[in-house]
Amino acid sequence: SKITLTVIKADVGGFVGHTDVHPELLEIAKKHLKEKGKMLIDFHVTRVGDDIELIMTHRKGIDNEEVHKLAWDALWSCGEKAKELKLYGAGQDLLKDSFSGNIKGLGPGVAEMEIEERKSEPVIIFMADKTEPGAWNLPLYKMFADPFNTVGLVIDPNMHQGFKFEVYDMIGHKKIIFETPEDIYDMLVFIGATGRYCIRRVYTKNNEIAAVSSTQRMNFMAGKYIGKDDPVLIVRCQNGLPAVGEALEPFANPYLVAGWMRGSHNGPMIPVSLEDAVLTRFDGPPRVCALGFQLAEGKLIGPQDFFKDVAFDNAREKALEIADYIRKMGPFEPHRLPLEELEYTTLPHVAEKLQGRWEE
Ligand code: 13P
Ligand code: 13P
Ligand code: MG
Ligand code: MG
Ligand code: MG
Ligand code: MG
């Protein structure tokens, strides 16, 4: 029968500030999944920056109430501990008081896929902090549509026909399927606008799921702007899909993403090991971790902490140079995000104060 891989994540309080998760919270999450997660085949709990990541496998399919409730309750227990320890922003991503059927819309981020496990099933869980779901657009494009990144698109007969991209409009709340390579110029018009259009899923031309991202956009939830949702992404690899190294390759260039301090700045995405995923400088810079697993009848064999590799040292060094450079711009765009994308804004307040001082 089919296996479902579900990743659910939330920030339920930072230790200290927005930099990290307190280890006691991770223990609570593990204990909860171990004791209450009878329906799971396996799980792995980790964190990147101030976000708790629950990686789970089961046979219940996507959007399963039992699995979502298990994750919600685990995160809720972590939130209670966060309040007790007075961690920063305790309960931040738990927007509702009670669970109602599906965790989507309640605050946590969700990425899940139901798959027929192949003879060998390598998967990568990418997890980022201090950025937003659109941050996956550029690497997903490179992995699945750019032959200068993924040579398999040229030389592997199982990849040569290309892929399908499901792109979601987070403001218009609608989706479109682009076929690559045929539609790449059309698709790039949209996915280059990372604050609005988000690659939610990638499929093979035979409609096999290849990648899925968390797309809930926190900043428009509950009718107000409450912050960017630090995103996760699941990518299946090999055998007609990008090789593990092709899926990791886009992160060798530290591209710019929105997020960082107060969710209101552009900065370089730094690929790091879990050990280096405590975000301090100007609450960042934005960070991405990649954990590899081999699935074996749903068991999570791993993880392999990919960005530990020295092969990403140059990317890190370059990212730090970019960070030095762009930080010098202080509150000026394009380091600071344009007004409509700021997580915080004093504009109405300042504008009101200055009323009467503006002249024609
Ligand atoms: P190996 O020869 O190490 O199995 O590698 C094959 C491959 O396809 C690497 O991308
Ligand atoms: P998080 O979204 O990771 O909580 O960060 C928010 C923030 O304001 C950082 O400065
Ligand atoms: Mg936080
Ligand atoms: Mg965070
Ligand atoms: Mg954030
Ligand atoms: Mg957050």
Side-chain angles (χ1 to χ4, degrees):
S1 70
K2 290 190 167 185
I3 301 287
T4 305
L5 176 54
T6 298
V7 183
I8 295 183
K9 49 105 6 208
D11 174 349
V12 303
F15 170 63
V16 173
H18 287 284
T19 62
D20 196 0
V21 173
H22 193 282
E24 276 192 59
L25 272 55
L26 296 177
E27 287 315 311
I28 288 169
K30 283 177 199 166
K31 190 162 177 277
H32 190 96
L33 296 191
K34 192 166 184 193
E35 286 172 6
K36 305 279 162 62
K38 303 291 179 235
M39 77 298 276
L40 299 182
I41 302 171
D42 203 357
F43 68 85
H44 182 82
V45 173
T46 188
R47 70 86 183 84
V48 171
D50 60 3
D51 295 291
I52 299 175
E53 321 275 354
L54 310 177
I55 301 166
M56 302 170 286
T57 53
H58 54 93
R59 292 183 197 279
K60 301 257 168 192
I62 66 168
D63 288 324
N64 178 264
E65 181 167 349
E66 242 184 291
V67 174
H68 282 206
K69 182 163 191 321
L70 175 76
W72 173 262
D73 290 343
L75 293 168
W76 190 267
S77 307
C78 294
E80 293 296 300
K81 178 52 94 178
K83 282 179 194 151
E84 186 191 315
L85 300 177
K86 296 181 71 177
L87 298 180
Y88 195 68
Q92 158 169 310
D93 287 353
L94 306 174
L95 302 177
K96 302 279 164 68
D97 292 335
S98 59
F99 181 81
S100 56
N102 191 305
I103 203 164
K104 283 182 193 156
L106 304 183
V110 187
E112 48 184 355
M113 54 165 69
E114 187 178 31
I115 58 172
E116 199 73 65
E117 193 179 283
R118 294 169 295 167
K119 204 172 101 201
S120 181
E121 189 63 63
V123 296
I124 305 176
I125 316 294
F126 291 96
M127 302 163 285
D129 188 32
K130 304 298 182 274
T131 186
E132 59 184 356
W136 303 130
N137 286 5
L138 185 150
L140 280 170
Y141 174 80
K142 286 188 150 190
M143 286 176 217
F144 290 95
D146 178 6
F148 280 74
N149 180 89
T150 297
V151 71
L153 294 165
V154 180
I155 65 173
D156 180 350
N158 292 321
M159 288 183 87
H160 198 79
Q161 64 281 10
F163 290 91
K164 292 185 187 183
F165 288 71
E166 180 187 311
V167 173
Y168 185 63
D169 174 352
M170 289 181 287
I171 292 173
H173 300 285
K174 54 191 181 188
K175 65 174 181 186
I176 182 168
I177 306 281
F178 290 108
E179 307 243 350
T180 60
E182 308 87 285
D183 293 337
I184 58 176
Y185 296 165
D186 290 347
M187 182 169 84
L188 283 165
V189 172
F190 296 96
I191 65 170
T194 49
R196 174 160 183 178
Y197 299 95
C198 179
I199 301 171
R200 192 157 60 175
R201 295 191 183 85
V202 181
Y203 297 95
T204 65
K205 293 260 160 114
N206 299 327
N207 300 314
E208 278 280 326
I209 186 83
V212 59
S213 68
S214 59
T215 55
Q216 298 77 14
R217 191 172 145 125
M218 296 274 300
N219 30 6
F220 288 120
M221 271 165 43
K224 65 180 186 112
Y225 205 78
I226 35 182
K228 294 181 171 54
D229 191 16
D230 303 319
V232 293
L233 168 70
I234 306 173
V235 178
R236 296 171 83 188
C237 297
Q238 307 288 154
N239 220 309
L241 300 174
V244 166
E246 289 169 335
L248 299 174
E249 179 68 5
F251 299 96
N253 184 50
Y255 60 104
L256 296 173
V257 296
W260 207 346
M261 173 58 74
R262 298 168 189 271
S264 303
H265 293 78
N266 284 310
M269 183 83 129
I270 317 185
V272 292
S273 68
L274 284 175
E275 210 174 301
D276 292 326
V278 177
L279 283 68
T280 62
R281 185 180 177 192
F282 202 53
D283 286 1
R287 225 60 65 94
V288 57
C289 291
L291 289 189
F293 295 93
Q294 289 288 155
L295 296 187
E297 307 306 325
K299 282 269 176 206
L300 291 159
I301 311 303
Q304 182 68 261
D305 188 352
F306 286 125
F307 291 142
K308 240 186 193 168
D309 188 358
V310 295
F312 289 93
D313 283 354
N314 282 357
R316 289 185 267 270
E317 198 171 315
K318 192 169 175 186
L320 298 183
E321 266 172 42
I322 294 166
D324 281 340
Y325 164 78
I326 203 166
R327 273 303 303 129
K328 293 218 168 79
M329 292 189 72
F332 283 78
E333 296 175 11
H335 180 29
R336 197 192 73 182
L337 294 180
L339 289 173
E340 61 276 13
E341 286 180 39
L342 299 180
E343 270 187 27
Y344 301 61
T345 182
T346 51
L347 180 74
H349 180 75
V350 177
E352 194 186 345
K353 192 181 76 180
L354 296 183
Q355 239 180 14
R357 285 175 59 185
W358 289 96
E359 294 175 36
E360 292 275 309

